[in-house]
Amino acid sequence: MKKAKWLLSLAAVSSLLLAACGANTTKEADKDEANALEQIQEEGKITVGIMGTYAPYNYLNENKVYDGFDVDIAKELAERLGVEAEFVAQDFSGLIPGLQKDKFDILVSQVTITEERQKQIDFTEPYITNQVKVIVKESNTDIQTKEDFKGKKIGVGLGTNDETYLRTELMPEVGDFTINTYDDVITTLKDLDSGRIDATINNVYALKPVVEQNGYAIKAVGEPIKSDKAAVAVKKGNTELVEALNKALEEMKQDGTYEEIFMKWFEEAPPAE
């Protein structure tokens, strides 16, 4: 009988210890999640996920250093948080999974705000709005608008908002067409130039440097088919980090730094909000 009571007591104590450990573990996890901003500032650096192949937004320049509009925005944000920006390149389709697994602290890589993504990650206020157009070969006269996509081969970035748009919105609207996916814009435009696809969709800012460097005979046609707002992406629940980034973005716009960066890369003033 005494042995049974002893075993019951031991079991009770063990349960209490396990419960306490579980509670502490949960609290530590919550603390880690809540203090992402503090951790970044303590470490003195913020890890920024980018594609690294998407000029003029983010790309490896001739000096083998990451450069571009997104890169300058990220560096300025980091400076205002009192830390250094460290860039890590990844195919676009792997950026959000990498953010969720803590490979990056933030994404600054033209991540468009969508309802589906808002379920997976958090966003700051938008830092750019892009007008997306239909892109074809210069000699192409068959495709003038998105309505001409039926029966054609259309190229698009894998895992991008543009891919989702083509599959879920445009195809039901205009009829079936073939979608070829790519890991970067350069390969997409190379296939367009060589005739392996009939069209793609992208914004003119993204086309200019690629066309200039490679001499692709392509053109944008028609009016913009949609407008995308890109923002800094943050792991779900990191509220303090989002607030700090929003404050920095607002300060950049107020003191003229944002306009300076925008004009540097796009040679025009940012559109009025």
Side-chain angles (χ1 to χ4, degrees):
M1 190 70 176
K2 285 182 180 178
K3 185 177 181 182
K5 286 183 179 178
W6 179 81
L7 287 171
L8 285 170
S9 298
L10 182 62
V13 171
S14 298
S15 297
L16 287 170
L17 286 171
L18 285 171
C21 289
N24 286 337
T25 302
T26 302
K27 285 178 182 177
E28 284 301 316
D30 290 343
K31 183 180 177 184
D32 288 345
E33 204 61 28
N35 290 330
L37 174 61
E38 288 180 13
Q39 288 180 7
I40 288 166
Q41 291 176 324
E42 284 174 11
E43 290 176 9
K45 70 171 184 177
I46 186 166
T47 306
V48 185
I50 57 172
M51 280 182 68
T53 56
Y54 195 26
Y57 298 104
N58 54 83
Y59 65 100
L60 205 59
N61 67 21
E62 57 188 14
N63 297 317
K64 305 301 180 187
V65 175
Y66 287 116
D67 207 351
F69 175 74
D70 289 340
V71 172
D72 281 355
I73 292 290
K75 285 179 178 178
E76 186 64 30
L77 289 173
E79 185 175 330
R80 291 173 189 247
L81 295 183
V83 299
E84 293 287 328
E86 181 180 280
F87 296 95
V88 178
Q90 168 86 56
D91 290 341
F92 191 87
S93 57
L95 285 176
I96 292 176
L99 180 67
Q100 292 171 320
K101 293 176 182 176
D102 297 316
K103 182 176 181 180
F104 319 108
D105 294 313
I106 59 174
L107 305 179
V108 189
S109 191
Q110 295 304 297
V111 184
T112 302
I113 302 170
T114 66
E115 287 185 14
E116 187 59 35
R117 286 176 182 163
Q118 285 176 316
K119 296 173 186 175
Q120 306 172 59
I121 55 178
D122 287 338
F123 286 98
T124 63
E125 292 298 314
Y127 67 88
I128 191 170
T129 300
N130 292 307
Q131 302 295 330
V132 177
K133 298 185 107 177
V134 175
I135 315 298
V136 298
K137 286 189 70 170
E138 279 188 356
S139 59
N140 189 306
T141 56
D142 295 335
I143 299 175
Q144 297 297 319
T145 69
K146 62 183 182 180
E147 281 73 24
D148 299 321
F149 280 8
K150 186 176 180 180
K152 301 294 195 298
K153 290 182 181 178
I154 312 301
V156 72
L158 178 65
T160 63
N161 177 56
D162 289 344
E163 182 189 2
T164 302
Y165 168 75
L166 289 179
R167 294 187 188 280
T168 63
E169 293 186 46
L170 195 56
M171 195 178 289
E173 178 186 329
V174 306
D176 286 346
F177 50 84
T178 302
I179 296 176
N180 289 15
T181 57
Y182 297 86
D183 286 330
D184 59 71
V185 175
I186 295 173
T187 311
T188 310
L189 298 182
K190 183 179 179 181
D191 272 14
L192 177 62
D193 184 64
S194 65
R196 282 188 282 269
I197 57 175
D198 299 303
T200 184
I201 60 173
N202 214 313
N203 71 77
V204 179
Y205 291 149
L207 297 180
K208 187 178 177 182
V210 180
V211 173
E212 287 176 350
Q213 287 180 3
N214 297 279
Y216 296 144
I218 60 177
K219 62 184 178 182
V221 295
E223 295 298 314
I225 60 174
K226 67 188 180 85
S227 178
D228 290 339
K229 292 184 180 296
V232 181
V234 177
K235 188 177 179 181
K236 202 76 177 168
N238 286 344
T239 310
E240 292 88 348
L241 181 55
V242 171
E243 290 174 351
L245 291 167
N246 274 335
K247 182 174 181 289
L249 277 170
E250 183 58 31
E251 289 172 353
M252 287 166 61
K253 291 179 179 179
Q254 293 294 332
D255 65 22
T257 306
Y258 176 82
E259 182 173 354
E260 199 175 295
I261 294 172
F262 197 97
M263 291 189 72
K264 171 185 173 182
W265 291 103
F266 306 126
E267 298 177 348
E268 62 185 48
E273 294 182 355

